[in-house]
Amino acid sequence: GAVVSQHPSWVICKSGTSVKIECRSLDFQATTMFWYRQFPKQSLMLMATSNEGSKATYEQGVEKDKFLINHASLTLSTLTVTSAHPEDSSFYICSASGTGNTEAFFGQGTRLTVV
Amino acid sequence: AQSVTQPDIHITVSEGASLELRCNYSYGATPYLFWYVQSPGQGLQLLLKYFSGDTLVQGIKGFEAEFKRSQSSFNLRKPSVHWSDAAEYFCAVVGGLTGGGNKLTFGTGTQLKVEL
């Protein structure tokens, strides 16, 4: 299957700083990327959907200004958590899907800890 | 809107025993169904998927699942569980395939514990 690489796999940052998480499709062109958030022992909650070259579509309740998503190329999408606070600590997972794909491929996730 | 229910939060089985994880979906038309497995601190790995055709689908690692429209179910099964199968399992549904914008709705997951 196709490979999606997410970086970093874990990050610790100070409260008030911003953190950028990258999601790359390594061997296919990802026309659509999805960003999920997962709290401990819970399911994945979709945060936003991004199509290459367009603004991301955010799910209800997700702050656009806090979780900035950029999908400027067919192989890279980034999620920036701005002015991070301890409550933003979570596991963030991306997935990517290309034209003609009938499934989305997941990155390995990023564990964000805000101290 | 589609939804997925996984009734069992935790399941414990003995190694070598058979396994069935339940998944019920809600969707007005033919759904597209997936089972994923997640090890601690890891992303999701696709076990199998159902789009159409044979209602019994085979996946990786010896897993299979059966789509039953009459019961709105897509239960995951394995004849003999291995200790390495201990993980979190998620059932997911897509309401329709657009070839690039398929938004998954996940169930709450079932944590599988395997006793040696």
Side-chain angles (χ1 to χ4, degrees), chain B residues 9-66:
Chain B
I9 299 174
H10 299 99
I11 282 185
T12 301
V13 299
S14 299
E15 189 176 35
S18 62
L19 171 71
E20 182 170 30
L21 302 182
R22 295 184 291 167
C23 173
N24 293 98
Y25 68 89
S26 174
Y27 183 64
T30 300
Y32 299 92
L33 297 157
F34 305 78
W35 272 100
Y36 288 89
V37 60
Q38 183 182 34
S39 297
Q42 300 295 313
L44 274 69
Q45 181 181 24
L46 180 67
L47 289 175
L48 47 78
K49 60 189 177 186
Y50 171 77
F51 291 159
S52 64
D54 194 345
T55 56
L56 183 63
V57 295
Q58 302 296 321
I60 62 171
K61 303 184 179 184
F63 286 93
E64 66 178 27
E66 186 171 12

Side-chain angles (χ1 to χ4, degrees), chain A residues 17 39 45 81 83:
Chain A
T17 62
F39 290 103
M45 301 302 296
V81 183
S83 186

Side-chain angles (χ1 to χ4, degrees), chain A residues 32 38 43 46 99-100 103 108, chain B residues 38 43 46 49 51 99-100 103 107:
Chain A
T32 306
Q38 185 180 31
S43 188
L46 181 65
T99 302
E103 65 181 270
Q108 64 269 49
Chain B
Q38 183 182 34
L46 180 67
K49 60 189 177 186
F51 291 159
K103 186 160 53 174

Side-chain angles (χ1 to χ4, degrees), chain A residues 33-51:
Chain A
M33 285 191 173
F34 304 88
W35 286 96
Y36 296 86
R37 182 174 182 176
Q38 185 180 31
F39 290 103
K41 300 188 184 301
Q42 294 190 27
S43 188
L44 284 75
M45 301 302 296
L46 181 65
M47 299 174 66
T49 303
S50 72
N51 293 298

